[in-house]
Amino acid sequence: MAAAFALPLAWVLLSAVDPGAGLRVRIPDGLTLGNFRAVLTPGITYTPLLNSLLLCGGGTALTVGCAALAAYPLSRFPSRLNRPFLLTILFATSLPITAIMVPVYALFVRVNLIDTLQGTVFFFAASQLPFAIWLMKNFMDGVPRELEEAAWTDGASAAQSLVRIVLPLMGPGLAVVTVFSFVMMWGNFFVPFMLLLSPDLMPASVSVNDFFGNRGMVAYGQLAAFSVLYSTPVVLLYVLVARRLGGGFALGGAVKG
């Protein structure tokens, strides 16, 4: 199974440096960087990747911030409304994007958010927020309440305890929510394809479609090279947060005595 799933990855890596790349997975007869030189232009790679970083970075920051603010009262202040609210947002995660894009498109047209990066960022954040709240709450439940109570005794407010106590202690949780949200937005084709109209605003997830020409003609080598470049930000993000993912919660001895 692992070998079968590794074949597409092997094709991408090998075809990116293959001057005669095709659909077959094969060892190149010779190595070339011509495919990378062909796609490393502002119109093909730089502008779409910048648009993707703006969309996904802004959407991820908005998602993580709103999820933390929503998960904190759900975790710290029990209420009869907590469970219905959580079930409601859980239901929201099951709604297919394609089913709600028509009314969303009509709404964005009326409020002048169509063909804007900020409008797409808002929709990205809204679509990822339900599951992010669930993840954030579960991680937040693992932070002892006694630590916050000690901060409240020293005069800290609920907002200060959230920022200075809870969030620093749930670093792995923040890393998981951040990586999950970013990856889901980074690979999303349908939402920016529907909400963005100008070619200059298209992210890399949409511009990759430009490599598929008419009559089945595809520049496989350039497509593979672009795929490698397109995957790099996600890999770098994972490398940056990998230590936080494996570090666990820094709570050892925090509530002893």
Side-chain angles (χ1 to χ4, degrees), residues 28-99:
D29 297 330
L31 301 181
T32 180
L33 295 178
N35 295 323
F36 288 96
R37 287 192 293 266
V39 300
L40 285 175
T41 63
I44 297 178
T45 299
Y46 297 142
T47 300
L49 282 180
L50 177 60
N51 292 336
S52 292
L53 290 174
L54 292 175
L55 288 173
C56 301
T60 300
L62 189 59
T63 299
V64 173
C66 292
L69 294 176
Y72 183 73
L74 293 171
S75 175
R76 290 300 188 257
F77 305 105
S79 170
R80 293 181 300 174
L81 299 178
N82 284 5
R83 181 175 175 81
F85 179 76
L86 287 172
L87 292 177
T88 301
I89 63 175
L90 179 62
F91 170 75
T93 63
S94 64
L95 293 175
I97 295 296
T98 53

Side-chain angles (χ1 to χ4, degrees), residues 51-52 55-56 97 101 105 114-117 120-121 123-124 184-198 201-207 230:
N51 292 336
S52 292
L55 288 173
C56 301
I97 295 296
M101 280 308 300
Y105 184 89
I114 199 71
D115 198 27
T116 62
L117 291 178
T120 309
V121 167
F123 186 79
F124 267 154
M184 294 300 293
M185 297 177 192
W186 189 259
N188 194 306
F189 170 85
F190 188 67
V191 170
F193 180 75
M194 291 294 297
L195 298 182
L196 297 175
L197 306 177
S198 302
L201 299 179
M202 291 297 179
S205 58
V206 177
S207 65
Y230 177 52

Side-chain angles (χ1 to χ4, degrees), residues 236-249:
L236 291 178
L237 176 63
Y238 177 77
V239 171
L240 290 175
V241 303
R243 294 180 62 184
R244 300 292 292 175
L245 286 173
F249 288 96

Side-chain angles (χ1 to χ4, degrees), residues 176-187:
V176 169
V177 175
T178 299
V179 172
F180 176 82
S181 301
F182 188 87
V183 170
M184 294 300 293
M185 297 177 192
W186 189 259

